[in-house]
Amino acid sequence: ASDKALTAEKEAAKAEIDDLPGLSNEAKAELKDQIDDAENSTEIADVFNEVEERALAEAKDDAKAVVDKAANNELSPERKAAHKAAIENASNLEEITEIVKEAEQEIFRNYQAYGKDQIDKLDDANLSPEQKAKLAAEIERATTIDEIERILDKADTEASDKALTAEKEAAKAEI
């Protein structure tokens, strides 16, 4: 390849590096220096392979962190291990994204089940079966863990308020 062609290839490669997401300016500068030092197209390709390997490793670490962050009522230790093994064996970013999406859906479904179980455990004296059914239906319709937590907080507040009212009535009756 002529010097002009190699120079054009280097400029195109550096522009591509500028467009890469998730790399610090220092990392981009380091990669551009490597591109400048490249003596042929193969060396330029080697720099990009290194970038892809680094990006894949970082994506795997980030994905494992998402799985690790899940509480045990959201994802059992066995399921965490299975998702992390799948992440480690993934060969590209698309696979990692899909595995994380599946894990997040499983975490959400498990938290929904946990939420409904928590509602069911509330004392019938404080929440009627109808109120529990209504709250469980709200949890079923929820689309985020935050929404489920707000519903659980609401259920606890309603149950506590009813218990307090019952205690006041009992105290009045004693007087």
Side-chain angles (χ1 to χ4, degrees):
S2 71
D3 285 347
K4 277 187 177 178
L6 186 60
T7 301
E9 189 177 346
K10 286 180 179 184
E11 292 308 312
K14 290 192 286 188
E16 205 172 318
I17 286 171
D18 278 332
D19 291 339
L20 291 173
L23 286 179
S24 67
N25 289 334
E26 293 81 22
K28 287 180 182 182
E30 178 187 323
L31 291 167
K32 287 185 202 177
D33 287 345
Q34 290 177 23
I35 295 286
D36 281 334
D37 294 343
E39 294 179 10
N40 56 47
S41 296
T42 304
E43 289 180 13
I44 292 172
D46 288 346
V47 172
F48 274 101
N49 288 339
E50 179 187 325
V51 170
E52 287 173 6
E53 287 170 19
R54 195 184 305 179
L56 189 62
E58 286 177 19
K60 285 181 178 184
D61 289 344
D62 292 346
K64 287 182 208 169
V66 167
V67 171
D68 279 336
K69 190 173 71 173
N72 283 345
N73 62 352
E74 297 169 342
L75 210 55
S76 70
E78 296 80 17
R79 292 300 300 149
K80 281 183 184 182
H83 284 299
K84 286 166 62 174
I87 289 165
E88 195 53 48
N89 292 325
S91 58
N92 60 53
L93 296 174
E94 291 77 22
E95 281 181 53
I96 293 170
T97 301
E98 192 57 37
I99 294 164
V100 169
K101 198 162 118 185
E102 288 171 17
E104 287 173 333
Q105 288 171 344
E106 184 176 346
I107 289 166
F108 178 74
R109 284 191 310 273
N110 289 345
Y111 201 75
Q112 265 185 322
Y114 164 80
K116 288 190 271 189
D117 190 47
Q118 293 303 107
I119 296 288
D120 199 45
K121 287 180 180 176
L122 291 171
D123 191 341
D124 283 347
N126 298 331
L127 279 182
S128 70
E130 293 79 22
Q131 288 171 303
K132 287 183 178 183
K134 183 178 175 227
L135 290 164
E138 285 181 41
I139 287 175
E140 193 62 42
R141 287 190 304 271
T143 56
T144 66
I145 287 178
D146 286 345
E147 242 181 293
I148 294 170
E149 287 175 350
R150 282 195 295 278
I151 295 164
L152 289 174
D153 288 345
K154 181 170 92 172
D156 283 342
T157 301
E158 287 178 19
S160 297
D161 289 350
K162 183 126 184 213
L164 184 60
T165 302
E167 286 176 29
K168 286 180 182 176
E169 293 303 317
K172 284 182 192 174
E174 274 186 35
I175 298 173

